[in-house]
């Protein structure tokens, strides 16, 4: 019996004729500990992406930041993050409510080298100054679709007061979405993920040329986003989760100002020869000005998006 992938992931793997192959390679590439090369990357990151799920079943994504070394791996099965945690962060609020044992999705992405690794696990402890997570799944990702950016300036100013947004958002939020070349998405295998190896919370990266997120203004005043699905590693962790639990947490960073835009959405997976991607109906938003202390260089588009 294949315990690496849950039924949502298996269904999408089967749809492209890769089910048997993924059943073979899954146990080889999805580990229960971090290999040394993953630990080396995590230990030098300027940021760390985190996904969590709240008591209503809504996933949230966020980005934590620090100087090199703020993420540590004291051993191959444990990650420790030392940074001041903002009480206004919806993903951290969800994780705090879950308590020890709560599911956590983590993504280590180094934008200037396009290296990235994932680690999904369970919360060990959380305080105002950091958290620790135990490994359940550890695996690598290729550098495709990542826009390269360099962290340049660190701003010590504390974050401003968070600003809740309605489902219709506002012009500033829409401008950030329409010009975005990078998005992070949190998803969960169930409203309350179980303890099986394939269950939990995941946070992943999506990149595209500026404007790859298409905005639809609905007649009811709401906003729907269309996000195309580009070919990847065929794990289908995000889409597989959304087939089972169709709610997503989106994060859009403003790399120039340090603002983070958190969005909650209802998700439909479209999977046909004509269109493959996600339709995301926004249900709520939260703007956190100055939440990201790093200021970054201009993006260098991924090779997949350059002529």
């Amino acid at each position: 019996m294949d315990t690496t992938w849950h039924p949502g992931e298996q269904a999408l793997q089967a749809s492209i004729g890769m089910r048997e192959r993924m059943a073979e390679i899954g146990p080889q590439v999805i580990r229960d500990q971090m290999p040394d090369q993953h630990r080396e990357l995590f230990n030098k990151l300027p940021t760390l992406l985190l996904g969590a799920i709240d008591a209503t079943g809504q996933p949230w994504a966020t980005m934590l930041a620090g100087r090199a070394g703020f993420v540590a791996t004291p051993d191959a099965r444990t990650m420790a993050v030392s940074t001041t945690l903002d009480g206004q962060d919806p993903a951290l609020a969800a994780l705090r409510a879950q308590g020890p044992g709560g599911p956590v999705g983590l993504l280590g992405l180094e934008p200037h080298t396009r290296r990235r690794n994932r680690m999904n696990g369970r919360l060990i402890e959380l305080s105002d100054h950091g958290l620790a997570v135990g490994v359940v799944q550890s695996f690598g990702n290729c550098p495709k679709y990542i826009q390269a950016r360099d962290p340049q300036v660190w701003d010590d100013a504390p974050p401003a007061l968070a600003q809740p947004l309605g489902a219709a958002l506002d012009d500033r939020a829409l401008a950030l979405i329409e010009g975005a070349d990078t998005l992070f998405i949190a998803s969960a295998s169930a409203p309350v993920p179980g303890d099986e190896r394939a269950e939990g919370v995941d946070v992943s990266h999506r990149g595209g040329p500026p404007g790859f997120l298409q905005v639809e203004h609905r007649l009811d005043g709401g906003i729907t986003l269309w996000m195309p699905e580009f070919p990847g590693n065929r794990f289908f962790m995000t889409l597989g989760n959304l087939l089972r639990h169709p709610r997503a947490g989106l994060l859009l960073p403003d790399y120039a100002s340090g603002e983070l835009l958190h969005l909650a959405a209802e998700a439909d997976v479209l999977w046909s020869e004509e269109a493959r991607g996600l339709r995301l109906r926004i249900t709520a938003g939260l703007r956190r000005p100055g939440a990201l202390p790093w200021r970054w260089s201009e993006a260098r588009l991924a090779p997949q998006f350059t002529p």
Side-chain angles (χ1 to χ4, degrees), residues 73-125:
T73 55
D75 59 64
R77 297 179 184 274
T78 309
M79 180 182 292
V81 182
S82 298
T83 189
T84 301
L85 301 181
D86 186 354
Q88 303 178 103
D89 189 321
L92 295 178
L95 196 56
R96 185 171 283 109
Q98 289 268 356
V104 189
L106 296 168
L107 165 63
L109 188 154
E110 190 175 47
H112 49 295
T113 65
R114 298 192 171 98
R115 289 180 65 191
R116 59 174 161 170
N117 293 314
R118 305 253 281 281
M119 194 277 266
N120 298 335
R122 295 279 171 167
L123 181 68
I124 297 173
E125 61 180 353

Side-chain angles (χ1 to χ4, degrees), residues 33-233:
Q33 57 185 313
M34 295 173 284
D36 288 346
Q37 64 180 13
H38 290 201
R39 297 175 67 190
E40 177 267 336
L41 176 65
F42 282 124
N43 292 351
K44 65 176 184 174
L45 289 173
T47 59
L48 182 71
L49 282 302
L50 181 148
I53 188 167
D54 68 19
T56 72
Q58 175 61 53
W60 293 98
T62 195
M63 181 183 289
L64 307 178
R67 309 282 187 175
F70 88 102
V71 180
T73 55
D75 59 64
R77 297 179 184 274
T78 309
M79 180 182 292
V81 182
S82 298
T83 189
T84 301
L85 301 181
D86 186 354
Q88 303 178 103
D89 189 321
L92 295 178
L95 196 56
R96 185 171 283 109
Q98 289 268 356
V104 189
L106 296 168
L107 165 63
L109 188 154
E110 190 175 47
H112 49 295
T113 65
R114 298 192 171 98
R115 289 180 65 191
R116 59 174 161 170
N117 293 314
R118 305 253 281 281
M119 194 277 266
N120 298 335
R122 295 279 171 167
L123 181 68
I124 297 173
E125 61 180 353
L126 183 147
S127 72
D128 290 340
H129 305 292
L131 61 127
V133 178
V135 177
V136 174
Q137 295 180 324
S138 173
F139 53 100
N141 273 171
C142 73
K144 290 173 72 174
Y145 313 125
I146 297 174
Q147 327 299 358
R149 287 180 167 87
D150 302 288
Q152 294 185 325
V153 177
W154 177 272
D155 186 345
D156 281 319
L161 187 66
Q163 302 166 11
L165 303 173
L169 306 181
D170 61 14
D171 290 345
R172 181 166 141 194
L174 291 172
L176 180 59
I177 294 168
E178 291 170 339
D181 58 42
T182 299
L183 173 144
F184 300 97
I185 179 168
S187 60
S189 60
V192 181
D195 294 329
E196 293 81 5
R197 185 183 180 204
E199 302 288 336
V201 173
D202 180 74
V203 63
S204 63
H205 162 275
R206 292 293 187 273
F212 82 109
L213 297 171
Q214 299 175 29
V215 177
E216 173 192 345
H217 296 263
R218 302 195 310 271
L219 293 177
D220 65 2
I223 299 295
T224 296
L225 306 183
W226 164 253
M227 181 170 64
E229 179 71 10
F230 300 124
N233 56 16

